[in-house]
Structures are given as structure tokens and as C-alpha cells.
Amino acid sequence: MNETIQSTKILTPFPEAEKAAVDTALAEALNKSRRKIVVLDDDPTGVQTVSGIHVYTDWSRESIAQGFLEDNPMFFVLTNSRGMTREETTACHRQVAENVLSVSRETGRDFLLLSRSDSTLRGHYPLETEVLRTTLEEEGYPALDGEILCPYFREGGRYTIDNVHYVRYGERLVPAGQTEFAKDATFGYRASNLCEYVEEKTQGRYRSKDCIVITREELRDPAGDAALKKLCGAASFQKIIVNAQDDYDVRAFAVCLYRAMAQGKHYLIRGAAAIAKAVGNIPTRPLLPAKVLFSQVPEDVLQHGGMIVVGSHTDKTTRQLRKLEELSGIESIPMNSDLVLQEGALDKEVLRIVARANACIQKGITALVYTKRTELSIPGDTPEQALVRSTRISDAVQRCVGELSVSPSFVVAKGGITSSDVGTKALRVKRALVLGQIAPGVPVWQTGEESRFPGIPYVIFPGNVGEEDTLKKAVSVLLRR
């Protein structure tokens, strides 16, 4: 298929008659596997399809060990590496691999590493997976036969068809390389075809023609023999592209993956949230009602307003923000994020915002803090400089939450780096329970007793998810309690 804009009419659902067989096969495969699934999340949005799973906000050996001892077959480790430099990312992933391997040997339990990243292909790729592979193999772990790429994510409108990855806009499917996401200042790219994306990102070390391609037709074949044969034929960290346009395509692939691993093959996964849900066989649950969201919130805090912070500056986020401002009971407090260019000015801006937000929350009004709606662009800027500046702005945004003296009844953070900083720095969460989703693709953590504001719902709203009114609808649920 050419990399042209397509109609959503080309999407075809997985055969209804085959779903029960896939469900049975996946449940059996997971039960037979003793592997612990360790999901490394480069920002907090990776839990946007799961529930009843714990997220650890550090990758210490103690946290990894606790995750291995859980009854759940899966746990998440929040690395926030999308907000790191290359050097920081390298050090992080080396330590993660060493700690996972050490705990695995101590417990006698094998593992499957899943590098969860952006469904629009942004992030430190191939750096992260190459560091993981190199570290494991240097420490004596069996050679990894293949790296699986599966960025499909239905809730966000991400589909891979004939190897081309698409982003849904209404009734149109736009090749990812033609979207605003591909123009990211730090993680930009050109190719929408995932085979070509691999060649582009690896600078030709892995060629497009050498990728193994798992087709939609192969995944929908009840026998699954062709997909399994291809998986078992992978060697030397060969790239494996998964074509998917339905959740059951990914579940069927997970069945083949478990069968291949049972034959002694070893893989590493680079993908979006959907494949994490599939390999963990996490059930689909209804969207969260207010009574569940606020079940652990102290009675006095229930009377307070909430806190919403928006760091993402994508066009979609800006449109969602404007719709959100239509709600009553919310006060907008814009942040002049361009003050990052003036020494000490952003600190004063934070103090101003915190004072105003405290007053709002105490009165039962929800404070809405957002950065300027255009990305700051400096002539002659480098990707690393842009990332460092973005991180400084995100730090200012999280301080608007972390320096509150009044507990909000809920917190919403919009944007990947923003939501990670709010969760780990402002709320000081160490281990959170993923309650589920408040909107499709929008996860909610329940903060632990160790956090700054225990028991409150923390809504992690990705910058690139939802329709224009999705943020407004999600916040409406929180306000109606």
C-alpha cells in the first residue's frame, strides 16, 4: 500500500467466530508460561489499556524484586526515559537490565522485557532496546533472536496496515510520517512504513528488506502456522513487524509469541500499550465511575477542588484544552513557559501560580494550569538542547502541584513528560495501583500511602489521545462526584 491518506473504511474487524478460540489459547499459553512480564514505560501513559496492575516509579533492585514476587504475571516500571538525554537513557536501561536479570536468577523465574513507547513512534529508539539486548547478553543471558515492533493502539487510533503505520483523524488514516508527531524536535522521523522506519532509525544497520513481516492474514489464520514459523525463524535480533488493525490481531500474535518462546526462542518487544495488554491477557473493563475513582479519598479532601496541569503543546491538546475551559467550576491559570529563557523568572511564575491554585482548591474550585500553546523554538537549537529546555518547563509544571499546601481532590496531568514528573516528583508516588481508565486510553493511578496526597485519583492524560471533547468529558466525571 502506498503511503497515502486512507479512509477508515479499509479497516476490517477480526472474525467474531475466531475470538473465543484466541481467548482460550492465550489464557492457556500464559498459564503455562512462568515468565514475568516486565514492562519498561518511557512515560506514564503505557498503562492506558490495563487495570489491576502495579506501577513502580523506580527501577531499584528492591522494586524489581517486589514486582517479581507479585501474583500478577506483569508489572510496569516507569523509566520516563522519553524525557532523558541519550546518556541518561543508556545508564537507566543498563541498570534495569542488570537488576531484572539478577532478580530473575535469584527467583529462578525467566522474564520477557517489553519496552513500551509512543504509539506515534517517538522515543529513544533503537537506543533503549539495543542497550537492553547488549547488557543482557554480556551478562550471559541467551541471545535475543528477535525484536518485535507493534505500535498498534486502537484507543489512540493507531493502526499498522501493510507495514504502514497510521494515525486516525476522524474518518481518515494518515501515515504517521506525515503527522505532527513525526516532526518532533527530539524524536522526529520520516518513514511511515515500519520496515523503512527501522532502517532509518538504525541508520542502515538493519535493512528494510531484512525485516520479518507478520501479516494480518497470517494472524487471522486459526492455525497460526505461518506466523509461528516466521517468529521461530528470527535470529540475531532480527526486526519483526506486526500488522494489526484490531485488538484480536494483537492477541492472536501473543499466542504465537508464547508458542515460539516455549520452543526456546527469546525476544524483546518494542510497542505501544495494546501489546502489553495482550501479552498479559488483561481483561477489558468498563470506564471508571466516580464512586470508584474517589473511594479512597479522605472526606475533608472530597470538598476541595481538583488540580489540572497541561504541558503537552500538540494541536490536539490545545483543542481539548479550549473545550475543557467551557466547563464551570474551573479557573484557568496560564503559565508563561517562555520565561524559561530568563534566569529565575520561571521560579517566580511557579510561586504566583501555586498561590492562586491553593486559593481555588480550598474554595472547591478546580485549578487549570497550562503552558503556552506553541513550542518554544530557538534558532540553531539542537534536539538535546530542546529536550533539556522542555524538561525544565515540565519541572516548573510539576512544582505547581508539588508545592501545593492544600490537597486537591484529584489531579489530572496532560502530556507524557508532564505526567511522569507530576507522578514521581510532585506526588512522590513509589508504587501505584492502576485502577483502569476514565476515558479510552486515559489511565488512572490510585496514589499510595507514601505519596504526598494519599488515596486521590491521578489521571494521566496522554498528549496525543482522544477527540476534542475527551478531556472535557473526563474532567466532567471528576467534577460530578
Side-chain angles (χ1 to χ4, degrees):
M1 179 178 296
N2 293 327
E3 293 187 23
T4 57
I5 295 175
Q6 304 288 332
S7 166
T8 55
K9 293 179 180 179
I10 68 172
L11 297 173
T12 58
F14 194 90
E16 196 68 34
E18 302 297 337
K19 289 183 177 181
V22 172
D23 289 339
T24 300
L26 182 55
E28 291 176 351
L30 183 61
N31 286 337
K32 290 178 182 177
S33 173
R34 291 195 66 250
R35 285 178 176 81
K36 179 65 73 168
I37 305 160
V38 185
V39 185
L40 310 180
D41 205 353
D42 73 353
D43 77 9
T45 64
V47 294
Q48 57 202 159
T49 59
V50 302
S51 58
I53 298 293
H54 282 106
V55 180
Y56 295 84
T57 62
D58 67 47
W59 48 93
S60 65
R61 195 182 187 285
E62 292 72 23
S63 290
I64 299 294
Q66 189 175 1
F68 264 76
L69 292 174
E70 290 183 0
D71 290 335
N72 277 325
M74 169 187 287
F75 67 94
F76 278 67
V77 176
L78 176 59
T79 66
N80 192 32
S81 58
R82 211 181 304 170
M84 294 179 179
T85 64
R86 288 182 60 85
E87 292 73 18
E88 292 168 336
T89 301
T90 298
C92 162
H93 283 75
R94 182 175 293 119
Q95 186 176 16
V96 168
E98 290 172 348
N99 288 344
V100 168
L101 185 55
S102 174
V103 173
S104 170
R105 286 170 171 164
E106 183 178 282
T107 59
R109 187 169 187 178
D110 202 357
F111 58 88
L112 171 65
L113 285 180
L114 196 161
S115 174
R116 202 298 307 186
S117 191
D118 180 43
S119 60
T120 59
L121 308 179
R122 297 169 299 168
H124 286 290
Y125 180 81
L127 176 65
E128 292 177 350
T129 53
E130 288 179 343
V131 170
L132 292 171
R133 176 206 182 188
T134 300
T135 304
L136 291 176
E137 294 180 1
E138 286 177 350
E139 295 294 323
Y141 190 75
L144 295 177
D145 299 295
E147 178 185 49
I148 295 156
L149 279 80
C150 182
Y152 164 84
F153 175 46
R154 174 183 54 80
E155 291 87 346
R158 320 287 192 251
Y159 306 91
T160 305
I161 306 170
D162 291 345
N163 303 334
V164 177
H165 194 54
Y166 292 93
V167 176
R168 181 172 184 163
Y169 291 87
E171 300 305 310
R172 300 183 307 148
L173 298 176
V174 180
Q178 298 176 27
T179 67
E180 62 176 312
F181 308 113
K183 298 177 178 63
D184 188 279
T186 305
F187 302 117
Y189 57 91
R190 295 184 301 276
S192 303
N193 183 297
L194 292 181
C195 298
E196 296 171 5
Y197 172 83
V198 164
E199 183 166 332
E200 176 187 346
K201 284 296 185 176
T202 64
Q203 298 180 334
R205 288 182 288 110
Y206 289 87
R207 303 295 297 276
S208 171
K209 63 183 180 62
D210 296 327
C211 291
I212 293 173
V213 171
I214 308 294
T215 69
R216 177 194 63 185
E217 291 72 24
E218 289 165 345
L219 292 172
R220 297 183 181 188
D221 177 1
D225 293 339
L228 178 59
K229 184 177 180 180
K230 285 183 175 181
L231 274 176
C232 289
S236 301
F237 210 47
Q238 196 168 2
K239 310 310 178 192
I240 301 163
I241 308 302
V242 181
N243 282 279
Q245 50 185 285
D246 187 288
D247 287 355
Y248 270 82
D249 290 334
V250 186
R251 289 175 67 80
F253 174 77
V255 173
C256 292
L257 174 64
Y258 277 113
R259 289 173 176 169
M261 291 191 296
Q263 296 183 29
K265 302 293 286 186
H266 292 84
Y267 306 93
L268 190 154
I269 301 173
R270 176 73 169 190
I275 193 159
K277 179 181 181 181
V279 297
N281 196 24
I282 308 297
T284 298
R285 294 200 169 103
L287 297 177
L288 293 164
K291 66 178 182 179
V292 174
L293 290 166
F294 292 97
S295 63
Q296 300 299 313
V297 179
E299 191 64 34
D300 59 327
V301 176
L302 277 175
Q303 310 307 314
H304 293 173
M307 181 71 168
I308 305 169
V309 290
V310 180
S312 169
H313 49 71
T314 65
D315 289 343
K316 175 174 284 190
T317 292
T318 299
R319 294 195 301 271
Q320 291 174 336
L321 175 62
R322 298 313 172 207
K323 292 293 289 185
L324 174 63
E325 289 182 303
E326 296 173 357
L327 291 175
S328 58
I330 293 177
E331 179 168 325
S332 295
I333 311 174
M335 170 188 282
N336 183 2
S337 46
D338 286 359
L339 292 173
V340 69
L341 299 176
Q342 301 176 30
E343 189 66 34
L346 200 53
D347 292 333
K348 293 179 181 178
E349 181 74 341
V350 169
L351 292 176
R352 177 188 71 84
I353 291 170
V354 168
R356 186 62 205 150
N358 274 326
C360 289
I361 293 168
Q362 187 69 60
K363 295 176 183 177
I365 299 169
T366 291
L368 168 60
V369 178
Y370 55 87
T371 57
K372 293 192 73 169
R373 295 294 81 212
T374 54
E375 185 177 11
L376 183 58
S377 179
I378 307 298
D381 216 9
T382 67
E384 289 284 306
Q385 289 170 332
L387 181 60
V388 169
R389 190 170 55 249
S390 176
T391 301
R392 287 181 60 197
I393 293 172
S394 182
D395 186 63
V397 173
Q398 68 84 11
R399 285 173 54 203
C400 292
V401 179
E403 295 180 14
L404 289 172
S405 58
V406 179
S407 175
S409 55
F410 64 85
V411 173
V412 178
K414 187 83 163 71
I417 296 176
T418 300
S419 58
S420 179
D421 282 353
V422 168
T424 59
K425 298 178 182 178
L427 297 177
R428 298 201 291 267
V429 174
K430 295 297 183 184
R431 181 176 184 253
L433 177 66
V434 182
L435 291 176
Q437 288 70 46
I438 193 171
V442 183
V444 183
W445 290 4
Q446 184 178 81
T447 58
E449 287 300 318
E450 83 288 349
S451 69
R452 177 165 173 73
F453 304 123
I456 69 168
Y458 174 41
V459 180
I460 297 164
F461 206 117
N464 57 7
V465 163
E467 304 301 327
E468 274 195 21
D469 61 350
T470 305
L471 178 59
K472 178 182 179 181
K473 288 180 177 178
V475 173
S476 294
V477 173
L478 296 164
L479 295 178
R480 283 199 301 266
R481 65 185 185 280

